[in-house]
Amino acid sequence: MIVEEIMNDNPYTLAPSNTVLEALKLMREKKVRHLPVVDKEHHVLGVITERDIKEALPSPLQDEPNSPIFHAHVEEIMVKNPLIAHPLDFVEEVALTFYESKVGCLPIVSGGKLVGIVTTTDLLYTYIELTGATEPGSKIDIRVSDTPGILFEITKIFHQHHANVQSVLVYPDSENTQNKILSIRVKTLNPLAMIEDGTDLKK
């Protein structure tokens, strides 16, 4: 999956001359926490976040309209030269950037201009969609030996029971490095017969 499939391709933006109060009002009105700051040609100059505004306040108890920071331009507190991504980047690569850099959003740039934005919320929603958690079904975690062909043997059981596999995740077994955990979501509410067949397979 690539970034352009999950990004918001019509993000709200600010000009560097907009005030911090205007940024806050836009965030609250549109229910967003990150706003790219762009010039007239839509080049990304920075990013301002709800957290940036909170950190710029002299006190969290400061009355908002009376705080001088709200009359400052966003360019004074925005994150300049932010990390960016391209629409054709892979989602897992972008997720790694989020994890390593501890950022909450990435402006998506193509041809030097802003074409979208991706946030941690977008990544979380994508993960939920990929796992099939939004659809009715059952999740089965199976501990298997890390050997070639084991996934094929497991999926044969679902095929024999005419069960649709919604997603398959593979992750290391924390108890034994020679094993893997297969986390499989199937479109059935009663997987007991399949679990029993899987137990027989392990024997």
Side-chain angles (χ1 to χ4, degrees):
M1 180 176 285
I2 56 177
V3 168
E4 67 179 358
E5 297 180 58
I6 71 166
M7 71 181 187
N8 174 1
D9 59 6
N10 190 28
Y12 301 106
T13 62
L14 294 168
S17 58
N18 282 122
T19 66
V20 173
L21 183 59
E22 289 172 329
L24 185 61
K25 286 182 177 180
L26 182 59
M27 288 178 185
R28 291 179 174 175
E29 177 185 344
K30 302 303 181 181
K31 295 181 172 58
V32 296
R33 294 181 295 121
H34 313 85
L35 292 170
V37 180
V38 298
D39 62 17
K40 293 180 180 180
E41 287 75 36
H42 239 51
H43 301 136
V44 176
L45 303 177
V47 169
I48 186 169
T49 70
E50 190 176 54
R51 182 177 179 179
D52 295 329
I53 296 175
K54 288 180 179 178
E55 290 181 347
L57 287 171
S59 167
L61 301 179
Q62 177 77 42
D63 185 31
E64 293 179 6
N66 297 328
S67 177
I69 192 63
F70 285 97
H71 304 289
H73 294 162
V74 295
E75 63 182 345
E76 297 180 39
I77 69 168
M78 70 182 184
V79 176
K80 299 178 181 178
N81 301 314
L83 295 173
I84 61 173
H86 188 273
L88 298 182
D89 287 342
F90 290 111
V91 170
E92 57 266 34
E93 295 173 349
V94 168
L96 184 61
T97 299
F98 274 80
Y99 175 76
E100 292 180 340
S101 303
K102 304 296 189 294
V103 295
C105 76
L106 283 177
I108 310 303
V109 175
S110 179
K113 298 184 178 182
L114 180 74
V115 295
I117 190 172
V118 169
T119 67
T120 50
T121 301
D122 297 322
L123 289 177
L124 179 59
Y125 179 76
T126 299
Y127 170 77
I128 293 172
E129 286 286 297
L130 289 176
T131 59
T134 56
E135 301 179 23
S138 302
K139 187 170 80 72
I140 307 170
D141 288 344
I142 309 167
R143 177 176 283 109
V144 297
S145 59
D146 188 10
T147 56
I150 191 63
L151 180 59
F152 173 72
E153 294 298 326
I154 294 293
T155 54
K156 278 200 306 185
I157 296 174
F158 299 117
H159 174 72
Q160 291 164 2
H161 287 266
H162 307 288
N164 289 332
V165 175
Q166 296 167 304
S167 67
V168 179
L169 296 177
V170 183
Y171 57 92
D173 182 359
S174 59
E175 298 179 6
N176 188 336
T177 57
Q178 302 302 313
N179 292 338
K180 294 288 186 181
I181 303 296
L182 301 181
S183 183
I184 302 177
R185 183 171 287 274
V186 292
K187 200 170 185 178
T188 180
L189 298 179
N190 186 6
L192 291 180
M194 289 178 284
I195 292 173
E196 291 175 358
D197 285 354
T199 302
D200 294 338
L201 176 65
K202 290 175 71 176
K203 293 176 182 178

